[in-house]
Amino acid sequence: MTRIITTLLLATAASAAAQGTIQIGAITSLSGRFATFGQMQQAGFKVALDEVNARGGVNGQKVELAIEDDASDTNKALTAAEKLVNAKVPVVIGAYASGITKPLSQYMARVKVPLLVATAVDETITKPGNAYTFRVNNQSSVYTRSLIDQLRKTPGLKTAVILTSNDAFGKSVLTDATKLLPGAGYTILGKDTYDQGLTDFRPLLNRYKGQNPDVVIFASYEQDAVALTKQVKEVGLKPRIIAGIATGFALPAFLTGAADAAEGFLVTMVWNPDVRYPGAQNLYTRLKAALGGAEPSQHAAQSYAAMLAAIDAVKRAGGTDPEKVRAALAQTNLKTAFGPVAFRTYGGYTNQNSVVGLITQVQEGKFVTVGPASAARGKLILGK
Amino acid sequence: MDPAAATALIQTIAQGLLTGGLYALIGTGLSLIFGVMRVINFAHGDFLAIGMFITLALFRAFNLDPYFSVLVAAPVGFALGYVIQRVILARLGDRLAEGSMLATLGLGLIISNTLLLTFGAQPQNINVAYATKTVQLGGVQLSIPLIVAGIGTLAAIGGLNFLLYRTELGRAIRATAQNPLGAELQGVKTATIQAIVFGLGVAFAAIAGVLLMPLLYAFPTVGENYTTKAFIVTVLGGLGNLPGAVVGGLVLGTIESLGAFYISNNYRDAYGLVAFLLVLLLRPEGLFGRTVKRV
């Protein structure tokens, strides 16, 4: 009898506690091939939540993270989304990879719960997009365009090759680069794709070496970026500029994994600890602490900003009704240590944020921002 | 052909042969097991992953040079294979043919999940000073770890050949492969021989893992890709045919490299598979297999 009463009391206490908190849903890849990115995301969420809760939470309530692991798998992400929607979260942040996020965004629109995309870059997530999908990260064409703007300003370079992974993100980069490079005065000598997990890039890199291009552009996830970079050094491919579009190249693990082979690589990203937004250095320190001392990447900062935007929308909506939160998200206008967050609908894109694309270069084992001029902290060094 | 393109081509062929050498090393282990026991080892790639993770763990713990790990990985692989054969496969008895498939598949799952729980899912690599070092040979640039892998492959296969054709144990292994019952009647302890052979096969996979570690990165399911390659290699050369597996490996490595170099990288795995299908169609016994007599 006592036990039943205790259980009842506990149950009442638990439901009271549940009423006192707001759950923000998140889906990312905590295991599987995107696990490193998932850990970055988790750290970003945590830092944002701690910040908000330290200030007393939202509307008098504490904010909690309801995080689900999609195991780098689309079907698992959709199951996780269903679970979160059934748990009545007002908004979901996710997923990491483009290939998973695209179907997720369609599902979320169908069940009418807003989705905040923190990291995925594939164009078609917000173009045309839908009323329920909001993206904090730049779309892939901005990453590619900011690199090509930099190439346009670098005189004396004429030829380029492009190699990307054979997935939503890689193809997005390939299409954009193919479109933009000729306009910047470049002849494309070769464009190739590879299936993720390929371990031997040597034949392709040998072919490029034979073609001797001025510029080499890659788009790859984590392990491929490291293998690719090591093999570039191995085969002796030495272009004037060698660049990686975000993702795998924008990870601190790229610097440690590829070590001296990474030196001189240009990497496009939207956030680097040396950015000129107020609080960036402090955010870097907090993210690093949340990662147990490991170096944070832009993905952690993006996730931090997405979480702030989600909480801000819940605050302005005055509650957890997904429809009201969606309306509030559309009015977002935040200045964060990651950069500005405001969702605009323009040029075929729906609810797309816009952040200045940074060009960083690996110099002495660190990412140093070398472009654009307004953000640069160091000078671009050309090969040869 | 201009000199730059010619150098690039030679470099591609050289690297294709070296990569193929690694395929051969992996395929040899698989082929040896099949030749003696008629067991197809579906966990072969996972044993390779064990070799990689042993190297990784020793490097992390004692800063041990990856190549020295072979002194640990090979005996551990051998012992593991020996025990697995004794404890699991030997008990399958008459149902070895069908049973071994499920047993090795299951073993593979257990191994990759154990690695996942122990080391995590993220790809991990180790950085040694020579990981990205190269040598120049008349304009052709080759990576030192890749060359070491080639030499290691030669040594391992040469050693196996010596064992098989120059020692008493080798005679017993060959006898068991030819006719288990006959060997048994001549006083060969075939049960022990089979356990030794399985141990050797696993040790070969583990050695390949050690040689791959400085070149690549380890993650729990890294073996899958190599299991497929090992199958193609062994079938190309004729199942159970060791020299065939070596040539099969070199052929596969070169075909993949030249295909990716000349045609397109997108169909890379297809080149090997097309060669594989052609061999199956035209020479079902493998490139070097003996024609099967049909009664």
Side-chain angles (χ1 to χ4, degrees):
Chain A
M1 190 64 201
T2 345
R3 181 180 291 171
I4 296 172
I5 292 170
T6 325
T7 320
L8 276 174
L9 281 174
L10 278 176
T12 327
S15 77
Q19 275 166 9
T21 62
I22 294 170
Q23 303 270 331
I24 304 284
I27 300 170
T28 185
S29 305
L30 295 174
S31 60
R33 58 200 177 120
F34 302 128
T36 309
F37 300 100
Q39 280 145 21
M40 290 293 175
Q41 286 216 273
Q42 197 177 20
F45 298 148
K46 188 179 173 297
V47 167
L49 282 177
D50 289 350
E51 181 182 315
V52 170
N53 285 330
R55 285 195 313 241
V58 165
N59 307 338
Q61 291 175 300
K62 288 275 178 209
V63 191
E64 272 181 10
L65 178 63
I67 193 165
E68 291 289 329
D69 177 17
D70 64 27
S72 310
D73 179 273
T74 306
N75 289 327
K76 287 188 185 135
L78 294 174
T79 314
E82 203 179 336
K83 190 174 159 193
L84 289 173
V85 169
N86 287 338
K88 304 253 178 280
V89 297
V91 50
V92 171
I93 308 175
Y96 164 70
S98 294
I100 301 176
T101 308
K102 181 71 195 296
L104 183 62
S105 74
Q106 285 158 341
Y107 172 78
M108 296 303 288
R110 217 161 46 234
V111 295
K112 298 192 187 311
V113 174
L115 176 74
L116 260 174
V117 179
T119 53
V121 294
D122 178 38
E123 291 285 306
T124 62
I125 293 170
T126 52
K127 189 179 187 176
N130 61 58
Y132 290 86
T133 304
F134 298 82
R135 174 150 59 191
V136 174
N137 196 358
N138 280 339
Q139 61 273 41
S140 79
S141 61
V142 177
Y143 281 92
T144 316
R145 184 174 297 123
S146 56
L147 174 70
I148 290 167
D149 281 344
Q150 184 74 41
L151 294 180
R152 186 182 287 125
K153 285 180 217 141
T154 315
L157 308 179
K158 289 187 171 53
T159 54
V161 294
I162 315 155
L163 172 63
T164 73
S165 57
N166 193 8
D167 49 38
F169 152 69
K171 282 182 179 159
S172 221
V173 171
L174 188 66
T175 316
D176 297 331
T178 314
K179 223 182 298 168
L180 294 169
L181 276 169
Y186 282 83
T187 311
I188 300 173
L189 298 180
K191 45 178 189 169
D192 293 276
T193 59
Y194 68 86
D195 288 329
Q196 220 207 342
L198 179 70
T199 50
D200 178 17
F201 297 94
R202 297 176 188 92
L204 275 173
L205 299 174
N206 285 332
R207 196 208 299 156
Y208 298 157
K209 189 186 177 190
Q211 292 171 322
N212 196 22
D214 295 325
V215 176
V216 175
I217 300 172
F218 296 134
S220 308
Y221 287 112
E222 186 179 6
Q223 62 264 51
D224 310 346
V226 172
L228 193 50
T229 305
K230 279 182 162 179
Q231 289 173 21
V232 163
K233 183 151 188 272
E234 186 187 318
V235 305
L237 176 63
K238 286 175 188 152
R240 303 293 304 281
I241 282 183
I242 187 157
I245 307 285
T247 50
F249 295 96
L251 281 177
F254 169 65
L255 297 180
T256 50
D260 57 336
E263 200 60 25
F265 263 66
L266 290 195
V267 181
T268 60
M269 47 178 93
V270 289
W271 191 86
N272 193 40
D274 71 5
V275 284
R276 295 176 189 264
Y277 301 117
Q281 195 58 42
N282 180 269
L283 174 61
Y284 166 76
T285 316
R286 283 184 292 156
L287 288 173
K288 193 168 173 174
L291 284 162
E295 288 291 318
S297 68
Q298 67 162 358
H299 312 95
Q302 286 159 351
S303 308
Y304 163 82
M307 182 53 84
L308 286 189
I311 295 169
D312 170 68
V314 170
K315 185 177 172 188
R316 284 183 292 109
T320 56
D321 176 41
E323 206 51 55
K324 283 184 186 152
V325 172
R326 186 194 67 80
L329 273 172
Q331 304 300 321
T332 301
N333 190 4
L334 281 177
K335 297 266 176 282
T336 75
F338 158 76
V341 182
F343 303 107
R344 293 192 305 125
T345 298
Y346 66 96
Y349 295 98
T350 311
N351 302 329
Q352 174 64 55
N353 188 26
S354 179
V355 195
V356 175
L358 304 176
I359 308 292
T360 66
Q361 185 170 37
V362 182
Q363 294 180 357
E364 285 165 14
K366 276 200 159 135
F367 292 118
V368 176
T369 305
V370 294
S374 58
R377 299 269 184 179
K379 267 195 155 32
L380 172 67
I381 303 165
L382 289 183
K384 266 184 262 181
Chain B
M1 192 186 270
D2 72 292
T7 313
L9 174 62
I10 297 167
Q11 190 162 309
T12 303
I13 294 174
Q15 285 160 349
L17 285 171
L18 288 170
T19 315
L22 276 169
Y23 293 163
L25 182 62
I26 304 163
T28 305
L30 191 75
S31 202
L32 179 69
I33 292 173
F34 182 83
V36 176
M37 300 172 60
R38 306 287 141 186
V39 163
I40 295 180
N41 178 19
F42 281 98
H44 207 63
D46 299 292
F47 291 120
L48 177 139
I50 289 182
M52 290 184 97
F53 277 103
I54 288 178
T55 315
L56 182 80
L58 289 174
F59 181 80
R60 294 263 164 88
F62 308 109
N63 210 12
L64 184 71
D65 186 278
Y67 293 122
F68 284 115
S69 321
V70 85
L71 299 175
V72 178
V76 167
F78 181 82
L80 195 64
Y82 191 95
V83 171
I84 286 173
Q85 205 283 335
R86 270 292 160 93
V87 177
I88 301 171
L89 298 179
R91 283 166 198 262
L92 295 173
D94 295 340
R95 290 156 302 159
L96 186 65
E98 325 84 89
S100 65
M101 254 183 231
L102 284 176
T104 51
L105 261 177
L107 268 174
L109 284 176
I110 293 171
I111 294 171
S112 58
N113 282 294
T114 309
L115 291 174
L116 178 72
L117 288 174
T118 320
F119 294 93
Q122 73 283 12
Q124 301 174 65
N125 65 352
I126 51 185
N127 259 312
V128 276
Y130 52 77
T132 54
K133 289 271 183 301
T134 53
V135 282
Q136 289 267 1
L137 295 163
V140 174
Q141 191 163 324
L142 291 173
S143 121
I144 288 181
L146 201 57
I147 292 175
V148 173
I151 295 170
T153 302
L154 274 181
I157 292 175
L160 179 68
N161 229 40
F162 180 82
L163 176 81
L164 284 181
Y165 293 98
R166 295 276 183 277
T167 66
E168 200 53 39
L169 176 63
R171 261 159 62 102
I173 292 177
R174 283 183 293 137
T176 311
Q178 274 171 16
N179 187 339
L181 184 62
E184 188 83 56
L185 289 174
Q186 292 297 317
V188 175
K189 287 184 180 162
T190 50
T192 314
I193 294 296
Q194 291 193 337
I196 290 176
V197 163
F198 204 83
L200 279 175
V202 172
F204 265 56
I207 293 172
V210 172
L211 293 175
L212 272 173
M213 198 60 215
L215 285 164
L216 272 181
Y217 40 83
F219 57 101
T221 49
V222 66
E224 284 169 8
N225 189 24
Y226 288 98
T227 309
T228 324
K229 302 274 187 224
F231 279 128
I232 298 179
V233 163
T234 40
V235 176
L236 271 180
L239 267 168
N241 181 329
L242 296 185
V246 175
V247 179
L250 297 177
V251 168
L252 182 66
T254 318
I255 289 180
E256 280 188 358
S257 292
L258 285 179
F261 183 82
Y262 271 121
I263 312 171
S264 156
N265 187 60
N266 299 10
Y267 307 111
R268 187 190 177 92
D269 284 335
Y271 307 128
L273 289 171
V274 166
F276 178 72
L277 286 176
L278 283 178
V279 168
L280 281 184
L281 273 175
L282 304 174
R283 279 189 68 88
E285 65 278 15
L287 284 175
F288 305 93
R290 260 182 241 119
T291 314
V292 183
K293 282 195 195 116
R294 290 186 178 84
V295 186

